């Protein structure tokens, strides 16, 4: 077996695959249950135990046969393979020579003289989906069938896939073909035309004329439409080779094999291979003995090798950047030790290729500085030690990751520097010149920005030389092309080579000398004045150059000034001066745009900086979210960010003094004026460039800071051990009963529950519909669900009840459960084996549900629990979160970025966030460790492997694959590198093994001779000898005893004896300081912290180091249940409430977030003589002010008094003087109050949170970035008694609704009722929004989510009815191993719509097809496009969206099912009447 056998390099095609089939209409995969027990999706344990012996014998036989086959001669193996392949092909051709009923029916449709066979009963039927999706249970293969022969499996598989067509229909029933892919009016009725499950496999056309009675012309037409049956022979051949175990690269010496061979990249798209990590690059990563994360991160610098000098430079370079942030925490005297620690960490990473977890765990002594210091003498204890050991941690684990990132940045810096140096050396050798400025600045550039400055300077100064060098290289390269230099560079090159450059020298100071003066480095350079005035000197003949059109002095002087200004602009030293000045004295102004003036009101999240001025750049380091929000607003065109120098004029004057001469004369004054003009020109360009560069750099810094905050928050969330009930050991998973009502209303909607055992299996689940505690005093009994809950708890004995949901009613459920537990005295499991009666009352824990919300509807949930409802899956995830939060977060993989860690997270690129979250996960998983044998059999544990030190997704796959090939279990860590003597393959290389071995542990089995206790600890194998030495010293064994014990029981015998005799506590008596000193003196190894780790592990192997399970705070629970934050909902806000009940002196109401509250009598109205029932009614939506809000109990108090509502809440801002442009704010508010249209009407204002003073264009612009269904209420141009409502139907499609106000008492008052379209009347705006606009938006969503909806135009929809396209069977053979939907290949055929549509209609002349698409010209309308047969024309009917229904031909239909069936009925009636409507 070669290493290639371990890499999935070719397509894995399985002809016996029965785990999934494909729906002919949708192309979706239909999963089949594989012998699961009940509804929880787990195999029956008893059956597995009974078959253990048989499985072991079968596995042994398979391994035996496998080895024998490998020992055969290559010629014999090839001969046998050819014979098997030939036999299978002959059987396949013989079977496919005949035609089944469906093929004959297809031929008969094209040949009217052909007599159709009577349809036979199909093997498999599929029920049509109505409102209740009842499905037939298909036959499964049982355990007894798994060893059936290939031929039997293939026959059985083919038989299940055969199908037939229905009888021909007459013209009156012709349009019933539409039902072929849709619903039946009768639930559960099977249509014969839809009994197909999948198309039969491809056929050849041997003897087809005899079978079908076709002539040669008809046969050719059929072949043109359907092919000759051999189109997919390559796929079948690939299947044969896979069955023969030949999924390896072909022999390059066999030309025929190379010509016919296929690899995965020959079959699948590169994107699909990359998604599944099966590219050649992925295979190279698997094979390389380098940590996977190192390979991926250093991929751009794969060929870069640092010299010894560069390596020293890097350690200093990184130390400086980290020390700037670290110096506040460390003693300044530790600076040298800190630099040495950074250098050592770099050595471990670069030279030894150790990852961060390994360094932090096993090289900890190098990042800790310890020294002995004298102790203060204690007169009461004369024998006390005179010295003590003091230790200081120089580097945290997060800072090790920062060193790793800085190493990558330094490599990028060195690579760019080397490239520049090589170019300069080539130029120097070719042109024989030197640039001292370049030679001085290149080594001094220690950032990418400074290096870019040097490069810009180099290309500017040597543009002509570089062009000549490029031309020389191009002449030696036959296919190379030359780049023309930019026009500006060409202009300055002409000036440099002309006489005008003498005038540049006459300015008396070079750009570099001036920049040196400004930088305050070295000796000051003085400016010398010429003898002539600037204009006189420019008029002289030796300056003017008629060849370049510089024929006048003014032109020459202008060109000289531009040349000197450009040299100053491109001077690396000058840019360094400007960059430093901007970071010290730079300020930021935020200027609103005209678009921002309208869009950003006081309730907008961007209002915090709408008028922000004079904000120092340094301040944004502490407020990165603010700057990132400003950047987002600028991208949306709402604001403009201006970066400038606060003291620009004084800074400019300082620069003037550095370029001017000190002479006092008329000539000196004239030259100084020109010099100041040159500097002004240079500063204009420098300011623009620096502002752009500083903005980009500040954005990067702020993104990094937010990403680091996300990492810290994520680290806190994953640093949780499993929930620990009383009496259990920390780290032991509990048994959990999880309950949730989701978003449902308590006591009205069902409550789902799931019981999850401590091993993660879902043993039971169900629903409660009525949890009601009876009242004996009133004679009411407990509900049946309460009794069921009590029985479940008493039977299963859970350790804890987990509860969560995303509804405020979940708090009510929590209260009821607390009452049940208390009244029924429900107890948790026994936690003291010596005292079986000792239990505690069952605790109810509200669980963080951020992972459960993602899991409930995920493909992973559907695969693990196919029969569960989403809310049941939600409960399962809650239970597993209590059992191990870390496992649940690890199972999310890249979906973890969907969880919000920081309010500003959305402003940072997802890749940057995920990178930080991944490092946090790596740190925590390597602290916890992974039981490698559990990972082999448990997918949840296997999710940890990609985060193990040294591994990654690719190497984790490889590791599991090799372990399974080696037998499926690991007994020692050493087995991971392989053992040729025992025929064990290596799962990892020696270097990767060094990284990962201590983090993969193996349970210690005292009865197993090969089992090593240290393999179950955090001790690295390189330190096993130290552990055994410590164990021997603890047992006080001499050398003879040690030798006798190890010779008899192996190298691990001493530690085994220590554990067997339960003497681990004796290691606490060892003096480890002396051990550490001897190791450092004799072997130059620092092991003090390592020895402490060994001592701890010998006593408690892999002790749980995570924090205790963190219970949610009241604020977190409030946000989880309501979706609101403290800033988004608080006292004093005006919010809409829905009235539930109106009493004599109170009102009960509910907010949109689900919080319920009351309106006291005094807060209802300022007129107490009026009854509340006269003012308000049930179900009415009104505006109210929050007067009281209890975040713990989710209760609130409201006020409806008009004077309270008029007192608008204003957010308080803590701003310094000069930071806010109050004058601009007042001016903008005044302008918004003025008339906003040409008619001069006063702007209408409506007190509603959705009201905006927009016209229709502004409303559309405002809704452009909003979600579908969002609404704006705005003034109407039809008069004072009208309002306009604009809502977003879809992207770039908006509907404007005219609303007539009835019962207005005045010009500016609101109406008492609102009428829409002349037939819909509502009592207030909120009712209209909910019952009219939102109701239509739901219908739009329903339409767009429908399977027959096409996102293209009407023309596109007419050409792409792909939901009926039947893919050939060999495509399914290719798709099954990767579970790729056939719709992926359907996308390919959309490129050829005309040819496809012609072929399809010719092959199916009586089939009908229809689809829906949006009508962009008429918002709120859709097209129903259809084609009723081969020769029929494409037709379309308009479908109108109305509240809670669709309208077709003036007939309303409540949902898509009835709409489709109604359409068929209408069309059928029209066909019977002989009239068809076309549009």
């Amino acid at each position: 077996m070669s290493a290639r056998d371990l890499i999935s390099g070719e397509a894995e095609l399985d002809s016996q695959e029965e785990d999934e089939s494909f729906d002919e209409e949708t192309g979706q995969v239909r999963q089949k249950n594989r012998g699961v027990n009940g509804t929880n999706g787990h195999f029956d344990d008893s059956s597995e135990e009974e078959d253990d012996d048989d499985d072991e014998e079968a596995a042994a036989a398979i391994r035996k046969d496998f080895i024998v086959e490998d020992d055969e001669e290559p010629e014999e193996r090839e001969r046998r393979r050819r014979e098997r392949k030939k036999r299978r092909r002959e059987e396949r051709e013989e079977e496919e020579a005949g035609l089944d009923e469906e093929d004959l029916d297809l031929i008969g449709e094209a040949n009217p003289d052909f007599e159709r066979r009577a349809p036979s009963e199909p093997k498999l039927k599929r029920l049509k989906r109505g409102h209740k999706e009842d499905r037939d249970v298909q036959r499964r293969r049982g355990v007894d069938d798994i060893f059936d022969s290939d031929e039997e499996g293939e026959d059985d598989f083919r038989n299940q896939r055969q199908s037939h067509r229905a009888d021909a229909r007459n013209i009156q029933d012709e349009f019933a073909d539409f039902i072929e892919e849709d619903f039946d009016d009768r639930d559960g009725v099977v249509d014969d035309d839809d009994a197909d499950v999948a198309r039969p496999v491809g056929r050849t056309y041997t003897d087809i004329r005899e079978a079908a009675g076709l002539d040669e012309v008809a046969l050719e037409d059929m072949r043109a439409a359907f092919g000759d049956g051999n189109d997919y022979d390559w796929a079948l051949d690939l299947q044969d080779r896979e069955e023969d175990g030949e999924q390896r690269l072909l022999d390059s010496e066999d030309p025929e094999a190379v010509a016919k061979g296929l690899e995965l990249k020959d079959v699948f798209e590169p994107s699909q291979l990359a998604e599944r990590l099966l590219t050649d690059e992925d295979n190279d990563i698997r094979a390389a003995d380098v940590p996977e994360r190192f390979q991926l991160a250093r991929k751009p610098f794969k060929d870069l090798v640092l010299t010894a000098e560069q390596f020293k430079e890097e350690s200093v370079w990184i130390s400086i950047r980290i020390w700037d942030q670290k110096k506040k925490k460390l003693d300044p005297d530790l600076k040298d030790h800190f630099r040495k620690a950074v250098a050592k960490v770099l050595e471990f990473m670069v030279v030894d290729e150790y990852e961060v977890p390994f360094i932090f765990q096993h090289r900890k002594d190098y990042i800790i500085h310890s020294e002995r210091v004298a102790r203060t003498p204690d007169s009461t204890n004369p024998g006390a030690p005179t010295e003590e050991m003091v230790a200081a941690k120089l580097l945290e684990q997060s800072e090790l990751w920062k060193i790793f990132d800085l190493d990558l940045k330094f490599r990028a810096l060195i690579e760019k520097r080397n490239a520049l140096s090589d170019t300069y050396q080539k130029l120097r050798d070719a042109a024989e010149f030197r640039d001292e400025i370049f030679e001085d600045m290149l080594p001094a550039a220690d950032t990418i920005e400074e290096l870019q400055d040097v490069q810009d300077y180099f290309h500017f100064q040597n543009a002509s030389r570089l062009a000549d060098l490029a031309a020389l290289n191009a002449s030696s390269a036959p296919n190379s092309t030359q780049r023309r230099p930019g026009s500006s560079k060409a202009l300055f090159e002409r000036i440099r080579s002309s006489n005008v450059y003498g005038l540049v020298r006459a300015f008396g100071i070079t750009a570099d000398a001036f920049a040196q003066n400004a930088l305050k480095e070295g000796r000051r350079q003085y400016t010398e004045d010429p003898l002539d005035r600037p204009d006189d000197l420019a008029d002289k003949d030796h300056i003017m150059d008629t060849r370049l059109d510089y024929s006048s002095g003014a032109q020459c002087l202008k060109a000289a000034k531009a040349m000197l200004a450009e040299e100053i602009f491109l001077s690396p030293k000058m840019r360094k001066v400007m960059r430093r000045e901007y970071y010290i004295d730079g300020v930021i102004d935020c200027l609103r745009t005209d678009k921002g003036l309208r869009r950003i009101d006081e309730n907008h999240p961007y209002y915090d900086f709408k008028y922000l001025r004079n904000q120092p750049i340094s301040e944004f380091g502490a407020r990165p979210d603010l700057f990132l929000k400003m950047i987002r607003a600028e991208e949306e065109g709402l604001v403009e960010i201006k970066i400038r120098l606060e003291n620009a004029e004084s800074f400019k004057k300082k620069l003037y003094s550095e370029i001017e001469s000190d002479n006092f004369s008329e000539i000196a004054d004239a030259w100084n004026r020109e010099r100041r003009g040159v500097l002004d020109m240079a500063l204009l360009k420098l300011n623009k460039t620096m502002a752009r560069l500083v903005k980009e750099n500040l954005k990067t810094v702020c993104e990094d800071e937010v990403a680091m905050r996300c990492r810290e928050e994520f680290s806190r969330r994953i640093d949780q051990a499993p929930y620990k009930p009383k009496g259990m050991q920390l780290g032991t998973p509990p048994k959990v009963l999880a309950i949730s009502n989701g978003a449902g209303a308590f006591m009205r909607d069902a409550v789902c529950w799931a019981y999850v055992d401590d091993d993660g299996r879902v043993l039971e689940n169900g629903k409660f519909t009525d949890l009601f505690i009876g009242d004996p005093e009133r004679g009411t009994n407990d509900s049946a669900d309460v009794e069921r809950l009590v029985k479940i708890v008493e039977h299963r004995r859970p350790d804890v009840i987990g509860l969560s949901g995303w509804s405020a009613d979940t708090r009510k459920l929590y209260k009821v459960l607390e009452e049940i537990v208390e009244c029924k005295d429900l107890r948790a499991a026994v936690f003291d084996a010596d005292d079986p009666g000792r239990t505690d009352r069952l605790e109810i824990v509200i669980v963080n549900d951020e992972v459960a919300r993602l899991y409930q509807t995920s493909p992973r949930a559907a695969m693990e629990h196919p029969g569960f409802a989403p809310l049941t899956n939600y409960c399962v995830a809650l239970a597993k979160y209590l059992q191990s939060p870390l496992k649940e977060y690890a199972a999310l993989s890249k979906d973890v970025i969907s969880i919000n860690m920081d309010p500003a997270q959305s402003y940072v690129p997802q890749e940057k966030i995920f990178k930080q979250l991944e490092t946090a996960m790596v740190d925590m998983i390597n602290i916890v460790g992974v039981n490698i044998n559990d990972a082999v059999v448990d997918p949840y544990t296997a999710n940890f492997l990609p985060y193990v030190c040294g591994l990654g997704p690719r190497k984790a796959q490889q590791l599991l694959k090799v372990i399974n090939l080696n037998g499926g279990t690991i007994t020692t860590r050493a087995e991971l590198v392989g053992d040729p003597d025992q025929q064990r393959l290596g799962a990892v290389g020696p270097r990767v093994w060094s990284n990962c071995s201590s983090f993969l542990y193996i349970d210690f089995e005292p009865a197993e001779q090969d089992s090593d206790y240290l393999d179950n600890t955090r001790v690295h194998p390189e330190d096993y000898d130290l552990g055994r030495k410590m164990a021997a010293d603890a047992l006080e064994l001499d050398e003879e005893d040690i030798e006798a014990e190890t010779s008899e029981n192996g190298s691990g015998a001493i530690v085994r004896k220590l554990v067997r005799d339960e003497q681990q506590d004796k290691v606490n008596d060892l003096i480890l300081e002396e051990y550490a000193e001897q190791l450092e003196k004799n072997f130059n190894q620092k092991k003090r912290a390592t020895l402490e780790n060994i001592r701890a592990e010998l006593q408690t192997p892999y002790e749980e180091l995570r924090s205790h399970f963190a219970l949610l705070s009241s604020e977190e629970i409030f946000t989880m249940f309501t979706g609101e934050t403290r800033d988004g909902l608080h006292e004093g806000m005006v919010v809409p409430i829905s009235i539930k009940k109106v009493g004599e002196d109170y009102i009960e109401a509910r907010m949109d977030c689900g919080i319920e509250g009351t309106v006291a009598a005094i807060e209802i109205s300022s007129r107490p003589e009026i009854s509340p029932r006269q003012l308000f009614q049930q179900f009415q939506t009104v505006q109210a002010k929050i007067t009281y809000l209890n975040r713990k109990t989710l209760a609130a108090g409201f006020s409806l008094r008009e004077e309270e509502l008029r007192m608008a809440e204003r957010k308080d801002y803590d701003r310094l003087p000069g930071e806010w442009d109050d004058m601009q704010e007042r001016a903008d508010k005044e302008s918004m109050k003025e008339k906003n249209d040409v008619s001069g009407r006063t702007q209408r204002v409506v007190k509603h949170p959705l009201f905006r003073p927009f016209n229709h264009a502004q409303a559309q612009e405002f809704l452009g970035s909003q979600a579908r269904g969002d609404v704006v209420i705005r003034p109407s141009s039809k008069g004072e008694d009208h309002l306009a409502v604009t809502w977003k139907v879809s992207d770039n499609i908006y509907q404007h609704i005219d609303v007539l106000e009835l019962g207005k008492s005045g010009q500016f008052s609101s109406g008492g009722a609102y009428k829409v379209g002349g037939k819909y009347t509502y009592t207030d705006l909120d009712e209209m929004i909910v019952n009219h606009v939102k109701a239509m938006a739901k219908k739009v969503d329903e339409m767009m989510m429908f399977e027959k909806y096409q996102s293209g135009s009407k023309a596109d929809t007419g050409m792409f009815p792909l939901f009926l396209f039947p893919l050939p069977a060999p495509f399914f053979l290719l798709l099954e191993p990767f579970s790729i939907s056939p719709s992926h290949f359907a996308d390919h055929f959309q490129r050829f719509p005309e040819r496809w549509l012609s072929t399809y209609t010719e092959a199916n002349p009586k089939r009908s097809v229809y689809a829906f698409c949006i009508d962009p010209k008429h918002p709120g309308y859709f097209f129903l496009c259809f084609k009723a047969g081969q020769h029929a024309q494409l037709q379309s009917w308009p479908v109108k969206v109305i509240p809670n229904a669709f309208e077709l031909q003036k007939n309303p239909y409540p949902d898509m099912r009835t709409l489709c069936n109604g359409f068929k009925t209408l069309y059928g009636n029209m066909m019977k009447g002989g009239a068809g409507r076309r549009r």
Side-chain angles (χ1 to χ4, degrees), residues 124-230:
L124 201 61
K125 292 186 177 182
R126 176 172 58 83
L127 296 181
K128 297 289 97 179
R129 287 188 300 172
H131 284 293
K132 297 179 180 179
E133 300 182 356
D134 300 325
R135 303 181 183 274
D136 286 337
V137 179
Q138 302 176 3
R139 177 185 178 271
R140 310 178 186 89
R141 294 189 66 183
V143 177
D144 296 332
D145 299 326
I146 63 176
F147 294 107
D148 289 349
S149 65
D150 293 351
E151 290 76 14
E152 292 173 352
E154 292 176 2
D155 293 342
D156 187 47
F157 183 60
R158 291 190 183 97
N159 290 336
Q160 290 189 22
R161 294 176 65 124
Q162 291 180 351
S163 61
H164 71 284
R165 293 180 177 271
D167 295 333
R169 294 174 173 83
N170 53 26
I171 185 63
Q172 288 81 3
D173 197 30
E174 173 189 346
F175 207 71
D177 285 333
F178 278 118
I179 305 178
E180 186 274 335
E181 52 166 324
D182 207 35
F183 323 96
D184 196 312
D185 291 342
R186 298 166 298 168
D187 292 340
V189 177
V190 182
D191 192 314
D192 290 342
D193 220 12
D194 298 308
D196 309 17
V197 174
R199 296 292 184 190
V201 297
R203 308 288 186 185
T204 61
Y205 291 94
T206 306
D207 299 328
I208 195 170
R209 283 175 294 180
E210 289 78 3
L214 299 178
D215 58 14
E216 188 64 30
V217 176
L219 180 61
E220 287 300 325
D221 292 340
M222 185 175 60
R223 284 175 177 167
F226 299 103
D228 60 0
N230 298 321

Side-chain angles (χ1 to χ4, degrees), residues 1300-1316:
L1300 176 63
E1301 295 183 275
L1302 305 176
K1304 287 173 61 71
S1305 58
Q1307 178 181 358
F1308 300 105
S1309 64
S1310 298
Y1314 301 87
K1315 197 166 189 176
V1316 180

Side-chain angles (χ1 to χ4, degrees), residues 1026 1030 1072 1075-1076 1079 1087-1095:
L1026 292 177
M1030 292 173 61
L1072 300 182
Y1075 279 144
L1079 289 171
K1087 292 288 185 180
R1088 178 65 180 83
T1090 301
L1091 294 174
E1092 285 289 353
N1093 181 53
I1094 295 174
R1095 175 156 61 185

